[in-house]
Amino acid sequence: MIPQKRRNRQRGQLSANIFRELWGAVAMLMVLIVIGTADMTTFAQRDAYRIYEEIGSTEKSLVVLENAGHNVYVDNCPDMIEMFPDLYGMCSDDVWDLDRAHDLINHFTAAALRSQFYDDPAAADALADGAAAFTGVSMISTP
């Protein structure tokens, strides 16, 4: 049996190798990364910015939602959450109204898809570096 430490190291190495292969494969695709600066699960500096810099794609955008946490992407809390108030944090965000956050995430996602699959110049413009004209949103893009 492989000791626990060694198994974890092997898994980590396997993950790194898989990502290196995938990063090379996505060099031909447009990449959109959306991250919240208050995400304590997927840290912006450790994960999103690093992936953005290292990924081989020539067309890529990084959308940053200021002070958004990890759950900014999930559906709104169901009505029954009132029965389980301790779970409210799993379907809400401390700063962002989820409906507005979802509107922005959908906006950038639709722009990326339209730009990639329909060669839509207006969609490409919406993803241009610095084009995010929304309070609490910043974006960097290449090209």
Side-chain angles (χ1 to χ4, degrees), residues 26-133:
V26 298
M28 322 182 267
L29 300 174
M30 193 284 168
V31 173
L32 173 67
I33 301 168
V34 181
I35 190 69
T37 60
D39 191 331
M40 294 292 113
T41 303
T42 307
F43 298 100
Q45 293 298 331
R46 182 195 69 195
D47 299 327
Y49 286 101
R50 191 179 120 248
I51 291 169
Y52 178 82
E53 291 298 325
E54 293 180 14
I55 203 159
S57 179
T58 57
E59 292 181 61
K60 55 188 177 181
S61 295
L62 173 66
V63 177
V64 180
L65 304 176
E66 297 299 326
N67 299 310
H70 189 69
N71 293 329
V72 75
Y73 312 100
V74 302
D75 288 337
N76 291 330
C77 295
D79 292 335
M80 67 179 265
I81 200 71
E82 293 172 5
M83 295 169 39
F84 309 99
D86 292 342
L87 300 178
Y88 185 75
M90 297 178 74
C91 56
S92 65
D93 188 79
D94 290 340
V95 175
W96 284 81
D97 173 81
L98 292 185
D99 288 332
R100 300 301 69 80
H102 295 165
D103 288 345
L104 289 166
I105 293 165
N106 291 341
H107 165 77
F108 290 111
T109 302
L113 293 170
R114 290 191 61 80
S115 174
Q116 180 71 37
F117 295 113
Y118 294 99
D119 203 21
D120 182 336
D125 289 346
L127 295 170
D129 195 23

